[in-house]
PDB file of all heavy atoms in Angstrom:
ATOM      1  N   GLY A  92      81.353  99.782  86.588  1.00 83.00           N
ATOM      2  CA  GLY A  92      81.638 101.063  85.961  1.00 83.00           C
ATOM      3  C   GLY A  92      81.126 101.114  84.550  1.00 83.00           C
ATOM      4  O   GLY A  92      80.452 100.203  84.075  1.00 83.00           O
ATOM      5  N   GLY A  93      81.449 102.232  83.885  1.00 66.00           N
ATOM      6  CA  GLY A  93      81.079 102.368  82.484  1.00 66.00           C
ATOM      7  C   GLY A  93      79.724 102.964  82.237  1.00 66.00           C
ATOM      8  O   GLY A  93      79.233 102.961  81.122  1.00 66.00           O
ATOM      9  N   TYR A  94      79.102 103.542  83.285  1.00 60.00           N
ATOM     10  CA  TYR A  94      77.739 104.044  83.119  1.00 60.00           C
ATOM     11  C   TYR A  94      77.673 105.538  82.907  1.00 60.00           C
ATOM     12  O   TYR A  94      76.698 106.052  82.403  1.00 60.00           O
ATOM     13  CB  TYR A  94      76.912 103.706  84.358  1.00 60.00           C
ATOM     14  CG  TYR A  94      76.771 102.242  84.574  1.00 60.00           C
ATOM     15  CD1 TYR A  94      77.643 101.568  85.404  1.00 60.00           C
ATOM     16  CD2 TYR A  94      75.777 101.535  83.924  1.00 60.00           C
ATOM     17  CE1 TYR A  94      77.532 100.210  85.590  1.00 60.00           C
ATOM     18  CE2 TYR A  94      75.651 100.176  84.109  1.00 60.00           C
ATOM     19  CZ  TYR A  94      76.531  99.517  84.939  1.00 60.00           C
ATOM     20  OH  TYR A  94      76.424  98.180  85.115  1.00 60.00           O
ATOM     21  N   GLY A  95      78.736 106.220  83.382  1.00 54.00           N
ATOM     22  CA  GLY A  95      78.593 107.673  83.455  1.00 54.00           C
ATOM     23  C   GLY A  95      79.138 108.440  82.291  1.00 54.00           C
ATOM     24  O   GLY A  95      79.658 109.527  82.475  1.00 54.00           O
ATOM     25  N   GLY A  96      79.049 107.941  81.079  1.00 55.00           N
ATOM     26  CA  GLY A  96      79.588 108.666  79.939  1.00 55.00           C
ATOM     27  C   GLY A  96      81.090 108.732  80.049  1.00 55.00           C
ATOM     28  O   GLY A  96      81.765 107.718  80.093  1.00 55.00           O
ATOM     29  N   ALA A  97      81.632 109.944  80.121  1.00 52.00           N
ATOM     30  CA  ALA A  97      83.083 110.081  80.206  1.00 52.00           C
ATOM     31  C   ALA A  97      83.602 109.736  81.581  1.00 52.00           C
ATOM     32  O   ALA A  97      84.797 109.554  81.772  1.00 52.00           O
ATOM     33  CB  ALA A  97      83.482 111.515  79.853  1.00 52.00           C
ATOM     34  N   THR A  98      82.692 109.664  82.534  1.00 63.00           N
ATOM     35  CA  THR A  98      83.122 109.385  83.897  1.00 63.00           C
ATOM     36  C   THR A  98      83.008 107.907  84.181  1.00 63.00           C
ATOM     37  O   THR A  98      81.928 107.340  84.073  1.00 63.00           O
ATOM     38  CB  THR A  98      82.237 110.144  84.915  1.00 63.00           C
ATOM     39  OG1 THR A  98      82.310 111.519  84.634  1.00 63.00           O
ATOM     40  CG2 THR A  98      82.690 109.869  86.325  1.00 63.00           C
ATOM     41  N   ASN A  99      84.082 107.280  84.561  1.00 79.00           N
ATOM     42  CA  ASN A  99      84.019 105.869  84.905  1.00 79.00           C
ATOM     43  C   ASN A  99      83.953 105.713  86.417  1.00 79.00           C
ATOM     44  O   ASN A  99      84.691 104.930  86.996  1.00 79.00           O
ATOM     45  CB  ASN A  99      85.214 105.115  84.340  1.00 79.00           C
ATOM     46  CG  ASN A  99      85.027 103.605  84.465  1.00 79.00           C
ATOM     47  OD1 ASN A  99      83.906 103.105  84.440  1.00 79.00           O
ATOM     48  ND2 ASN A  99      86.119 102.887  84.656  1.00 79.00           N
ATOM     49  N   LYS A 100      83.040 106.460  87.046  1.00 87.00           N
ATOM     50  CA  LYS A 100      82.922 106.289  88.499  1.00 87.00           C
ATOM     51  C   LYS A 100      82.436 104.875  88.766  1.00 87.00           C
ATOM     52  O   LYS A 100      81.637 104.320  88.022  1.00 87.00           O
ATOM     53  CB  LYS A 100      81.943 107.306  89.067  1.00 87.00           C
ATOM     54  CG  LYS A 100      80.538 107.197  88.530  1.00 87.00           C
ATOM     55  CD  LYS A 100      79.669 108.303  89.078  1.00 87.00           C
ATOM     56  CE  LYS A 100      78.280 108.234  88.480  1.00 87.00           C
ATOM     57  NZ  LYS A 100      77.436 109.365  88.921  1.00 87.00           N
ATOM     58  N   LEU A 101      82.956 104.303  89.820  1.00 91.00           N
ATOM     59  CA  LEU A 101      82.607 102.944  90.175  1.00 91.00           C
ATOM     60  C   LEU A 101      81.570 102.926  91.279  1.00 91.00           C
ATOM     61  O   LEU A 101      81.632 103.706  92.231  1.00 91.00           O
ATOM     62  CB  LEU A 101      83.850 102.177  90.633  1.00 91.00           C
ATOM     63  CG  LEU A 101      84.941 101.989  89.567  1.00 91.00           C
ATOM     64  CD1 LEU A 101      86.128 101.223  90.145  1.00 91.00           C
ATOM     65  CD2 LEU A 101      84.400 101.281  88.344  1.00 91.00           C
ATOM     66  N   ILE A 102      80.611 102.020  91.117  1.00 91.00           N
ATOM     67  CA  ILE A 102      79.635 101.740  92.161  1.00 91.00           C
ATOM     68  C   ILE A 102      80.066 100.430  92.790  1.00 91.00           C
ATOM     69  O   ILE A 102      80.227  99.427  92.077  1.00 91.00           O
ATOM     70  CB  ILE A 102      78.218 101.596  91.583  1.00 91.00           C
ATOM     71  CG1 ILE A 102      77.865 102.806  90.714  1.00 91.00           C
ATOM     72  CG2 ILE A 102      77.207 101.392  92.707  1.00 91.00           C
ATOM     73  CD1 ILE A 102      77.836 104.119  91.450  1.00 91.00           C
ATOM     74  N   PHE A 103      80.253 100.413  94.099  1.00 94.00           N
ATOM     75  CA  PHE A 103      80.768  99.229  94.772  1.00 94.00           C
ATOM     76  C   PHE A 103      79.683  98.495  95.547  1.00 94.00           C
ATOM     77  O   PHE A 103      78.716  99.087  96.030  1.00 94.00           O
ATOM     78  CB  PHE A 103      81.874  99.616  95.759  1.00 94.00           C
ATOM     79  CG  PHE A 103      83.183  99.942  95.102  1.00 94.00           C
ATOM     80  CD1 PHE A 103      83.501 101.248  94.774  1.00 94.00           C
ATOM     81  CD2 PHE A 103      84.091  98.935  94.805  1.00 94.00           C
ATOM     82  CE1 PHE A 103      84.702 101.558  94.162  1.00 94.00           C
ATOM     83  CE2 PHE A 103      85.297  99.238  94.197  1.00 94.00           C
ATOM     84  CZ  PHE A 103      85.600 100.547  93.869  1.00 94.00           C
TER      85      PHE A 103
END
Side-chain angles (χ1 to χ4, degrees):
Chain A
Y94 297 94
T98 302
N99 191 30
K100 61 184 177 184
L101 296 180
I102 308 298
F103 284 93

